[in-house]
PDB file of all heavy atoms in Angstrom:
ATOM      1  N   PRO P  11      -6.920   9.171   2.751  1.00 96.00           N
ATOM      2  CA  PRO P  11      -5.635   8.614   2.317  1.00 96.00           C
ATOM      3  C   PRO P  11      -4.638   9.733   2.020  1.00 96.00           C
ATOM      4  O   PRO P  11      -4.961  10.713   1.344  1.00 96.00           O
ATOM      5  CB  PRO P  11      -5.996   7.844   1.042  1.00 96.00           C
ATOM      6  CG  PRO P  11      -7.235   8.506   0.534  1.00 96.00           C
ATOM      7  CD  PRO P  11      -7.981   8.990   1.739  1.00 96.00           C
ATOM      8  N   VAL P  12      -3.434   9.603   2.548  1.00 97.00           N
ATOM      9  CA  VAL P  12      -2.357  10.561   2.297  1.00 97.00           C
ATOM     10  C   VAL P  12      -1.097   9.777   1.951  1.00 97.00           C
ATOM     11  O   VAL P  12      -0.959   8.599   2.277  1.00 97.00           O
ATOM     12  CB  VAL P  12      -2.095  11.474   3.516  1.00 97.00           C
ATOM     13  CG1 VAL P  12      -3.289  12.384   3.767  1.00 97.00           C
ATOM     14  CG2 VAL P  12      -1.780  10.654   4.759  1.00 97.00           C
ATOM     15  N   GLY P  13      -0.175  10.439   1.270  1.00 95.00           N
ATOM     16  CA  GLY P  13       1.064   9.781   0.875  1.00 95.00           C
ATOM     17  C   GLY P  13       1.886   9.344   2.070  1.00 95.00           C
ATOM     18  O   GLY P  13       1.777   9.902   3.172  1.00 95.00           O
ATOM     19  N   LEU P  14       2.727   8.345   1.847  1.00 93.00           N
ATOM     20  CA  LEU P  14       3.562   7.837   2.924  1.00 93.00           C
ATOM     21  C   LEU P  14       4.551   8.905   3.386  1.00 93.00           C
ATOM     22  O   LEU P  14       5.094   9.665   2.582  1.00 93.00           O
ATOM     23  CB  LEU P  14       4.329   6.600   2.451  1.00 93.00           C
ATOM     24  CG  LEU P  14       3.477   5.377   2.082  1.00 93.00           C
ATOM     25  CD1 LEU P  14       4.367   4.255   1.571  1.00 93.00           C
ATOM     26  CD2 LEU P  14       2.654   4.903   3.273  1.00 93.00           C
ATOM     27  N   LEU P  15       4.779   8.963   4.676  1.00 93.00           N
ATOM     28  CA  LEU P  15       5.732   9.905   5.249  1.00 93.00           C
ATOM     29  C   LEU P  15       7.150   9.483   4.882  1.00 93.00           C
ATOM     30  O   LEU P  15       7.523   8.313   5.008  1.00 93.00           O
ATOM     31  CB  LEU P  15       5.578   9.940   6.767  1.00 93.00           C
ATOM     32  CG  LEU P  15       6.457  10.947   7.521  1.00 93.00           C
ATOM     33  CD1 LEU P  15       6.055  12.375   7.161  1.00 93.00           C
ATOM     34  CD2 LEU P  15       6.343  10.722   9.027  1.00 93.00           C
ATOM     35  N   LEU P  16       7.937  10.426   4.397  1.00 93.00           N
ATOM     36  CA  LEU P  16       9.333  10.160   4.059  1.00 93.00           C
ATOM     37  C   LEU P  16      10.175  10.424   5.303  1.00 93.00           C
ATOM     38  O   LEU P  16      10.403  11.573   5.681  1.00 93.00           O
ATOM     39  CB  LEU P  16       9.780  11.049   2.898  1.00 93.00           C
ATOM     40  CG  LEU P  16       8.954  10.935   1.611  1.00 93.00           C
ATOM     41  CD1 LEU P  16       9.481  11.904   0.560  1.00 93.00           C
ATOM     42  CD2 LEU P  16       8.965   9.508   1.088  1.00 93.00           C
ATOM     43  N   GLN P  17      10.620   9.370   5.940  1.00 90.00           N
ATOM     44  CA  GLN P  17      11.376   9.503   7.176  1.00 90.00           C
ATOM     45  C   GLN P  17      12.701  10.225   6.926  1.00 90.00           C
ATOM     46  O   GLN P  17      13.422   9.923   5.975  1.00 90.00           O
ATOM     47  CB  GLN P  17      11.648   8.109   7.772  1.00 90.00           C
ATOM     48  CG  GLN P  17      10.393   7.339   8.147  1.00 90.00           C
ATOM     49  CD  GLN P  17       9.647   7.953   9.325  1.00 90.00           C
ATOM     50  OE1 GLN P  17      10.223   8.710  10.117  1.00 90.00           O
ATOM     51  NE2 GLN P  17       8.365   7.626   9.454  1.00 90.00           N
ATOM     52  N   ASP P  18      13.003  11.192   7.797  1.00 92.00           N
ATOM     53  CA  ASP P  18      14.272  11.930   7.720  1.00 92.00           C
ATOM     54  C   ASP P  18      14.487  12.548   6.340  1.00 92.00           C
ATOM     55  O   ASP P  18      15.601  12.559   5.807  1.00 92.00           O
ATOM     56  CB  ASP P  18      15.452  11.010   8.071  1.00 92.00           C
ATOM     57  CG  ASP P  18      15.300  10.371   9.439  1.00 92.00           C
ATOM     58  OD1 ASP P  18      14.893  11.085  10.375  1.00 92.00           O
ATOM     59  OD2 ASP P  18      15.578   9.168   9.565  1.00 92.00           O
ATOM     60  N   TRP P  19      13.414  13.058   5.749  1.00 93.00           N
ATOM     61  CA  TRP P  19      13.474  13.607   4.394  1.00 93.00           C
ATOM     62  C   TRP P  19      14.348  14.856   4.327  1.00 93.00           C
ATOM     63  O   TRP P  19      14.161  15.818   5.063  1.00 93.00           O
ATOM     64  CB  TRP P  19      12.067  13.925   3.914  1.00 93.00           C
ATOM     65  CG  TRP P  19      11.986  14.868   2.745  1.00 93.00           C
ATOM     66  CD1 TRP P  19      11.436  16.107   2.734  1.00 93.00           C
ATOM     67  CD2 TRP P  19      12.467  14.639   1.419  1.00 93.00           C
ATOM     68  NE1 TRP P  19      11.536  16.675   1.491  1.00 93.00           N
ATOM     69  CE2 TRP P  19      12.173  15.799   0.659  1.00 93.00           C
ATOM     70  CE3 TRP P  19      13.127  13.583   0.801  1.00 93.00           C
ATOM     71  CZ2 TRP P  19      12.505  15.922  -0.685  1.00 93.00           C
ATOM     72  CZ3 TRP P  19      13.465  13.699  -0.536  1.00 93.00           C
ATOM     73  CH2 TRP P  19      13.153  14.852  -1.268  1.00 93.00           C
ATOM     74  N   ILE P  20      15.326  14.820   3.451  1.00 95.00           N
ATOM     75  CA  ILE P  20      16.173  15.974   3.153  1.00 95.00           C
ATOM     76  C   ILE P  20      16.253  16.090   1.637  1.00 95.00           C
ATOM     77  O   ILE P  20      16.660  15.134   0.963  1.00 95.00           O
ATOM     78  CB  ILE P  20      17.594  15.811   3.731  1.00 95.00           C
ATOM     79  CG1 ILE P  20      17.542  15.669   5.253  1.00 95.00           C
ATOM     80  CG2 ILE P  20      18.472  16.995   3.331  1.00 95.00           C
ATOM     81  CD1 ILE P  20      18.896  15.393   5.878  1.00 95.00           C
ATOM     82  N   PRO P  21      15.855  17.212   1.047  1.00 97.00           N
ATOM     83  CA  PRO P  21      15.923  17.351  -0.410  1.00 97.00           C
ATOM     84  C   PRO P  21      17.356  17.200  -0.912  1.00 97.00           C
ATOM     85  O   PRO P  21      18.309  17.579  -0.222  1.00 97.00           O
ATOM     86  CB  PRO P  21      15.400  18.774  -0.658  1.00 97.00           C
ATOM     87  CG  PRO P  21      14.603  19.104   0.563  1.00 97.00           C
ATOM     88  CD  PRO P  21      15.283  18.402   1.697  1.00 97.00           C
ATOM     89  N   PRO P  22      17.535  16.643  -2.099  1.00 98.00           N
ATOM     90  CA  PRO P  22      18.886  16.514  -2.660  1.00 98.00           C
ATOM     91  C   PRO P  22      19.441  17.871  -3.061  1.00 98.00           C
ATOM     92  O   PRO P  22      18.702  18.852  -3.196  1.00 98.00           O
ATOM     93  CB  PRO P  22      18.665  15.624  -3.888  1.00 98.00           C
ATOM     94  CG  PRO P  22      17.251  15.898  -4.289  1.00 98.00           C
ATOM     95  CD  PRO P  22      16.499  16.122  -3.006  1.00 98.00           C
ATOM     96  N   VAL P  23      20.733  17.914  -3.262  1.00 97.00           N
ATOM     97  CA  VAL P  23      21.371  19.150  -3.717  1.00 97.00           C
ATOM     98  C   VAL P  23      21.213  19.277  -5.230  1.00 97.00           C
ATOM     99  O   VAL P  23      20.946  18.298  -5.932  1.00 97.00           O
ATOM    100  CB  VAL P  23      22.869  19.174  -3.350  1.00 97.00           C
ATOM    101  CG1 VAL P  23      23.048  19.090  -1.852  1.00 97.00           C
ATOM    102  CG2 VAL P  23      23.623  18.049  -4.058  1.00 97.00           C
ATOM    103  N   PHE P  24      21.362  20.491  -5.722  1.00 98.00           N
ATOM    104  CA  PHE P  24      21.415  20.710  -7.165  1.00 98.00           C
ATOM    105  C   PHE P  24      22.659  19.993  -7.682  1.00 98.00           C
ATOM    106  O   PHE P  24      23.724  20.069  -7.068  1.00 98.00           O
ATOM    107  CB  PHE P  24      21.507  22.205  -7.456  1.00 98.00           C
ATOM    108  CG  PHE P  24      21.181  22.571  -8.872  1.00 98.00           C
ATOM    109  CD1 PHE P  24      19.882  22.884  -9.238  1.00 98.00           C
ATOM    110  CD2 PHE P  24      22.169  22.596  -9.842  1.00 98.00           C
ATOM    111  CE1 PHE P  24      19.572  23.223 -10.546  1.00 98.00           C
ATOM    112  CE2 PHE P  24      21.877  22.925 -11.152  1.00 98.00           C
ATOM    113  CZ  PHE P  24      20.572  23.243 -11.506  1.00 98.00           C
ATOM    114  N   PRO P  25      22.557  19.255  -8.787  1.00 98.00           N
ATOM    115  CA  PRO P  25      23.710  18.460  -9.226  1.00 98.00           C
ATOM    116  C   PRO P  25      24.933  19.327  -9.527  1.00 98.00           C
ATOM    117  O   PRO P  25      24.851  20.237 -10.357  1.00 98.00           O
ATOM    118  CB  PRO P  25      23.206  17.756 -10.492  1.00 98.00           C
ATOM    119  CG  PRO P  25      22.013  18.533 -10.922  1.00 98.00           C
ATOM    120  CD  PRO P  25      21.407  19.104  -9.689  1.00 98.00           C
ATOM    121  N   PRO P  26      26.045  19.076  -8.865  1.00 97.00           N
ATOM    122  CA  PRO P  26      27.267  19.821  -9.191  1.00 97.00           C
ATOM    123  C   PRO P  26      27.773  19.408 -10.565  1.00 97.00           C
ATOM    124  O   PRO P  26      27.683  18.240 -10.943  1.00 97.00           O
ATOM    125  CB  PRO P  26      28.238  19.403  -8.079  1.00 97.00           C
ATOM    126  CG  PRO P  26      27.747  18.074  -7.621  1.00 97.00           C
ATOM    127  CD  PRO P  26      26.260  18.091  -7.788  1.00 97.00           C
ATOM    128  N   ALA P  27      28.273  20.363 -11.309  1.00 96.00           N
ATOM    129  CA  ALA P  27      28.820  20.067 -12.636  1.00 96.00           C
ATOM    130  C   ALA P  27      30.184  19.415 -12.458  1.00 96.00           C
ATOM    131  O   ALA P  27      31.165  20.079 -12.109  1.00 96.00           O
ATOM    132  CB  ALA P  27      28.931  21.345 -13.457  1.00 96.00           C
ATOM    133  N   LYS P  28      30.247  18.119 -12.670  1.00 97.00           N
ATOM    134  CA  LYS P  28      31.496  17.390 -12.470  1.00 97.00           C
ATOM    135  C   LYS P  28      31.615  16.290 -13.514  1.00 97.00           C
ATOM    136  O   LYS P  28      30.637  15.912 -14.170  1.00 97.00           O
ATOM    137  CB  LYS P  28      31.539  16.779 -11.069  1.00 97.00           C
ATOM    138  CG  LYS P  28      30.489  15.712 -10.825  1.00 97.00           C
ATOM    139  CD  LYS P  28      30.625  15.094  -9.434  1.00 97.00           C
ATOM    140  CE  LYS P  28      29.620  13.962  -9.216  1.00 97.00           C
ATOM    141  NZ  LYS P  28      29.772  13.337  -7.878  1.00 97.00           N
ATOM    142  N   VAL P  29      32.818  15.769 -13.664  1.00 98.00           N
ATOM    143  CA  VAL P  29      33.074  14.689 -14.615  1.00 98.00           C
ATOM    144  C   VAL P  29      32.591  13.372 -14.019  1.00 98.00           C
ATOM    145  O   VAL P  29      32.871  13.054 -12.858  1.00 98.00           O
ATOM    146  CB  VAL P  29      34.575  14.597 -14.955  1.00 98.00           C
ATOM    147  CG1 VAL P  29      34.846  13.400 -15.866  1.00 98.00           C
ATOM    148  CG2 VAL P  29      35.054  15.888 -15.611  1.00 98.00           C
ATOM    149  N   LEU P  30      31.857  12.611 -14.827  1.00 98.00           N
ATOM    150  CA  LEU P  30      31.429  11.262 -14.461  1.00 98.00           C
ATOM    151  C   LEU P  30      32.163  10.301 -15.387  1.00 98.00           C
ATOM    152  O   LEU P  30      32.195  10.514 -16.599  1.00 98.00           O
ATOM    153  CB  LEU P  30      29.918  11.106 -14.646  1.00 98.00           C
ATOM    154  CG  LEU P  30      29.029  12.192 -14.025  1.00 98.00           C
ATOM    155  CD1 LEU P  30      27.572  11.982 -14.438  1.00 98.00           C
ATOM    156  CD2 LEU P  30      29.164  12.196 -12.509  1.00 98.00           C
ATOM    157  N   ASN P  31      32.750   9.254 -14.842  1.00 96.00           N
ATOM    158  CA  ASN P  31      33.477   8.344 -15.730  1.00 96.00           C
ATOM    159  C   ASN P  31      33.305   6.892 -15.318  1.00 96.00           C
ATOM    160  O   ASN P  31      33.092   6.573 -14.151  1.00 96.00           O
ATOM    161  CB  ASN P  31      34.966   8.714 -15.810  1.00 96.00           C
ATOM    162  CG  ASN P  31      35.644   8.709 -14.463  1.00 96.00           C
ATOM    163  OD1 ASN P  31      35.833   7.671 -13.858  1.00 96.00           O
ATOM    164  ND2 ASN P  31      36.010   9.885 -13.980  1.00 96.00           N
TER     165      ASN P  31
END
Side-chain angles (χ1 to χ4, degrees):
V12 293
L14 296 177
L15 183 66
L16 303 178
Q17 298 292 339
D18 303 317
W19 162 244
I20 299 175
V23 300
F24 196 91
K28 65 177 183 179
V29 176
L30 310 173
N31 58 69

